[in-house]
Amino acid sequence: MCLNFSFRLSPFSMTFLLSRSFISLTLVRPSCSISMANPTMNAKARLRGVVFDMDGTLTVPVIDFGAMYRAVLGEDAYKRIKAESPTGIDILHHIESWSPDKQQKAYEIIADYEKQGIDKLQIMPGAAELCGFLDSKKIKRGLITRNVQKAIDIFHQRYEVIFSPALGREFRPYKPNPDPLLHICSTWDIQPNEVMMVGDSLKDDIACGKRAGAFTCLLDETGRYGPDDFSVSGLQPDFKVDSLSKIQNLLETNFDLNP
């Protein structure tokens, strides 16, 4: 037997519910659920733009970041920094404090790994279809990556799926700083709370989105992230999917997509 309960909500509670997807609690019996939202309230948050990460989100991950970090940092420094950074190594942040000569050598190593990635570049399954859906709803789409602008240009040319604005690491400061996302929102003349950031990195993509005040969706194909990671980092994505193909249903279910 299913029991339905309705609650009278204060204006503050109503505002909160309107700003995020409704909360549902599932009972032990799989056939019965209790919704804490007022069943007469159908309003959804408006979504007018989606901003994507590139490597590992719009493209299949092919760069061996562990090997790249070892080559840049050295084995001992890599192990130490990795132990001190449970959410991942921010290699660009570490390089910024080095001498110009050491920085140059590090960037050359990174560029070599990135070139290998460009040579093997593949669009992520579901990416083209998702972009087609966004276009059909007149939802804007942008791109933020810590890769170079050249990689973005090659991606655009190879797959003819264009994102605008599309910012590489030449735009400073880069993710996880919120400035790239705020810049895109400003260019679109859209408020951050009407935009979603989608990416596969908790420390870069989700942090960027959270700090900008946008909705966030973590793409986690392999189940890499769990509750402990969210707790340690203090970063809880609004949504988590294991495939780009699941984002269309997520958007249709949770957001007002009208232009």
Side-chain angles (χ1 to χ4, degrees), residues 1-229:
M1 178 178 68
C2 292
L3 302 176
N4 293 318
F5 297 88
S6 295
F7 298 87
R8 185 176 298 278
L9 302 176
S10 68
F12 174 80
S13 300
M14 291 175 66
T15 300
F16 175 78
L17 288 174
L18 290 172
S19 66
R20 286 291 186 268
S21 55
F22 293 152
I23 302 171
S24 296
L25 299 178
T26 302
L27 300 180
V28 174
R29 296 182 184 179
S31 60
C32 181
S33 64
I34 299 176
S35 174
M36 295 181 65
N38 187 325
T40 64
M41 294 175 59
N42 296 316
K44 298 178 181 179
R46 189 180 186 193
L47 192 76
R48 301 174 62 197
V50 179
V51 179
F52 295 87
D53 166 55
M54 189 172 75
D55 298 301
T57 300
L58 291 173
T59 64
V60 176
V62 294
I63 297 176
D64 186 341
F65 286 100
M68 183 175 74
Y69 297 160
R70 287 185 177 91
V72 172
L73 299 169
E75 188 67 27
D76 291 342
Y78 168 75
K79 290 180 178 178
R80 175 178 55 79
I81 295 171
K82 184 179 180 181
E84 296 170 351
S85 309
T87 59
I89 295 174
D90 188 340
I91 192 68
L92 298 180
H93 172 74
H94 286 286
I95 291 173
E96 284 182 342
S97 63
W98 293 358
S99 67
D101 289 345
K102 193 175 180 181
Q103 281 188 29
Q104 180 62 33
K105 183 177 180 180
Y107 284 126
E108 289 174 358
I109 294 172
I110 292 172
D112 182 59
Y113 276 90
E114 289 176 337
K115 182 180 182 303
Q116 295 176 39
I118 290 173
D119 293 341
K120 302 174 183 177
L121 190 68
Q122 301 177 53
I123 193 169
M124 183 72 80
E129 294 80 2
L130 177 56
C131 289
F133 168 75
L134 295 176
D135 290 348
S136 73
K137 295 294 183 179
K138 301 187 185 307
I139 296 174
K140 297 180 181 295
R141 46 190 170 87
L143 186 156
I144 303 172
T145 179
R146 287 159 59 100
N147 206 325
V148 293
Q149 188 67 42
K150 179 182 177 181
I152 298 174
D153 295 341
I154 291 174
F155 174 77
H156 282 164
Q157 294 165 8
R158 188 171 298 179
Y159 297 105
E160 298 183 344
V161 180
I162 309 301
F163 296 81
S164 181
L167 307 178
R169 68 167 173 262
E170 292 84 356
F171 183 97
R172 300 292 185 96
Y174 35 69
K175 298 182 297 184
N177 190 289
D179 282 10
L181 184 50
L182 293 174
H183 172 79
I184 289 178
C185 292
S186 177
T187 300
W188 286 343
D189 194 22
I190 294 176
Q191 294 300 311
N193 62 3
E194 295 179 316
V195 171
M196 176 179 284
M197 179 73 207
V198 179
D200 67 320
S201 171
L202 190 63
K203 70 177 180 65
D204 292 331
D205 305 315
I206 302 306
C208 175
K210 287 288 185 183
R211 293 170 185 173
F215 289 95
T216 55
C217 180
L218 178 65
L219 175 62
D220 187 8
E221 289 191 298
T222 62
R224 171 185 174 188
Y225 295 105
D228 289 345
D229 298 295

